[in-house]
Amino acid sequence: MTVYLDNNATTALAPEVREAMLPHLFGDFANPSSPHGPGMAARRAVGEAKAQIAALIGARPADLIMTGSATEATHSAILGALRVIEETDHRRDHIVTTAVEHPATLALFDDLRLRGWRVTILPVNRDGLPSLVDLAAAVSEETALVSMMWANNETGVLMPVAGASAIAHAHGALFHTDAVQAAGRVPVACGIADYLTLSAHKMHGPKGIGALYVRKGAPFHPLIHGHQERRRRGGTENVPAIVGFGAAAALAGLWLDEADLTAFLRDRLEHGVLARWPGAVVNGGGTARLPNTSNIRFADARGRPIDAEELLMRLDRAGIAVSMGAACSSGGNEPSHVLTAMGLGKAQAAASLRFSLSRYTTAAEVDAVLSELPALHARLVAA
Ligand code: PLP
């Protein structure tokens, strides 16, 4: 049995989602742009799925653009907005984000800096929160856009997106939020944002499908040209994946009511780990977090950071899958940019593991993790 606690990297496809997708992988294969009956049926299926996704964030289906990933959605939002601003408002040459964003945003900001944009990267405090006072000081009539994630993928920390959006808008700047980890785990309302990024595979949907919400009237220029998605994103629609995303969003909406259960299991895990591992500390534990995420820093009896990679490997051998920070940076030698931005030293960041639960995580699985810990503690701390 594998205990899978890496749901912020990706989640298992829900059986209901698989069932919804199957007809579109085999029999119903028509192109939604085709004018015949099967094509129109595919088009209807896409429309229904978009309505399901839109309902999760309080949007209209017409406000959504389906993309090949959340990374593409974020690129479309930011590049699409800036392209218009560049042409219409030359004063605005400044963009703002935070030090703890996903690389989908941070790497794009690096590239935009090279292309001449003035970039402010907001620092975060020990809990991973940027200060709205810092943001208010940074934003001006020269700011084109502010991008702040709704919830951090490594720590689960919920970011002050409503306040950040209000500050951006007060100066006429646009506001983008990456809600990939938040949607389906906490209530997410698109109303605060001009652009909002979503991904199916973090909510028990398929990989390779994302969505971008664009507020009606917000500036937008397509990244990929073509007639699909009302000329806002070219390329034949991935109908099975879009239908799967719709089914996943519908389930996620129902499961939001059960978020307390996930938080209960997460707390059981967290308290259990802290009780069995003296000196362990929750990164970001001092502020509100997603109900499914716990990022824990391990230390020896004298408070010295241990090597979490060793712990991860030993847990893996025991059939327990967790991660060190983000999936994409795991395996590399670089310490997590999120944890170092929170003020942790390299060794402390390298002593941290992320446990991320899902709707399918059980109490028995949590207890299986806890039962491994005393032996691992004895081995790693005594070693
Ligand atoms: N944003 C956040 C917060 C994420 O956690 C991820 C995935 O890890 C992404 C964006 C990128 O998602 P995708 O790989 O689907 O493009």
Side-chain angles (χ1 to χ4, degrees):
M1 175 182 96
T2 298
V3 176
Y4 181 79
L5 295 181
D6 196 14
N7 290 281
N8 286 10
T10 197
T11 56
L13 201 71
E16 296 90 333
V17 172
R18 190 188 57 210
E19 288 309 306
M21 290 174 72
L22 279 176
H24 298 277
L25 284 166
F26 297 106
D28 303 340
F29 58 82
N31 188 322
S33 297
S34 296
H36 44 61
M40 286 186 310
R43 192 172 197 74
R44 263 197 309 281
V46 167
E48 282 161 20
K50 280 177 130 179
Q52 289 172 307
I53 301 162
L56 186 64
I57 58 165
R60 302 172 321 149
D63 301 332
L64 291 182
I65 302 172
M66 304 310 298
T67 60
S69 63
T71 304
E72 184 196 319
T74 292
H75 279 61
S76 293
I78 296 174
L79 294 172
L82 296 185
R83 170 75 186 264
V84 178
I85 299 289
E86 250 174 349
E87 285 167 8
T88 57
D89 196 347
H90 300 292
R91 279 177 320 160
R92 294 191 188 267
D93 63 351
H94 174 231
I95 51 180
V96 183
T97 191
T98 82
V100 294
E101 300 297 310
H102 189 271
T105 303
L106 278 179
L108 175 59
F109 268 66
D110 281 346
D111 192 47
L112 289 166
R113 190 201 302 269
L114 294 177
R115 288 201 237 162
W117 289 89
R118 283 192 300 118
V119 171
T120 300
I121 309 271
L122 293 174
V124 295
N125 68 11
R126 195 81 187 168
D127 273 323
L129 287 173
S131 144
L132 290 180
V133 175
D134 287 351
L135 178 64
V139 175
S140 73
E141 312 306 310
E142 292 171 5
T143 307
L145 177 131
V146 175
S147 179
M148 182 184 286
M149 66 199 328
W150 199 294
N152 184 268
N153 47 305
E154 294 193 28
T155 58
V157 164
L158 292 166
M159 303 285 269
V161 282
S165 161
I167 291 168
H169 288 156
H171 293 274
L174 296 159
F175 185 73
H176 165 257
T177 184
D178 170 351
V180 163
Q181 296 289 347
R185 294 182 177 146
V186 290
V188 166
C190 66
I192 62 160
D194 301 296
Y195 313 93
L196 184 147
T197 295
L198 295 171
S199 177
H201 75 99
K202 312 286 184 181
M203 55 171 92
H204 302 288
K207 295 171 186 59
I209 186 77
L212 175 65
Y213 160 82
V214 180
R215 178 183 55 73
K216 189 170 184 236
F220 186 78
H221 186 87
L223 184 63
I224 301 174
H225 294 271
H227 70 263
Q228 291 88 353
E229 296 286 351
R230 310 205 296 160
R231 303 202 164 276
R232 293 179 299 176
R233 197 268 189 181
T236 300
E237 294 88 342
N238 184 348
V239 180
I242 294 172
V243 167
F245 195 170
L251 277 176
L254 296 176
W255 290 344
L256 269 180
D257 290 341
E258 296 173 21
D260 281 357
L261 184 62
T262 306
F264 172 78
L265 289 177
R266 191 274 310 271
D267 291 347
R268 177 177 176 134
L269 175 73
E270 202 164 278
H271 297 153
V273 171
L274 298 187
R276 285 164 184 76
W277 200 294
V281 176
V282 178
N283 293 319
T287 188
R289 286 175 292 150
L290 290 174
N292 79 316
T293 309
S294 184
N295 191 309
I296 302 182
R297 187 164 86 239
F298 295 87
D300 68 14
R302 285 194 222 140
R304 287 176 308 203
I306 64 142
D307 176 8
E309 201 167 349
E310 171 87 23
L311 181 54
L312 180 141
M313 282 177 336
R314 287 181 186 277
L315 284 169
D316 190 35
R317 261 179 247 147
I320 296 160
V322 300
S323 93
M324 288 185 77
C328 36
S329 53
S330 292
N333 290 326
E334 282 303 299
S336 149
H337 72 282
V338 173
L339 298 180
T340 48
M342 289 162 68
L344 272 60
K346 273 190 174 190
Q348 285 180 315
S352 301
L353 289 184
R354 178 183 71 187
F355 301 81
S356 50
L357 286 64
S358 86
R359 166 75 175 42
Y360 297 123
T361 305
T362 64
E365 289 178 324
V366 166
D367 292 345
V369 177
L370 296 179
S371 69
E372 293 291 333
L373 278 188
L376 290 174
H377 180 263
R379 185 155 199 115
L380 288 175
V381 168

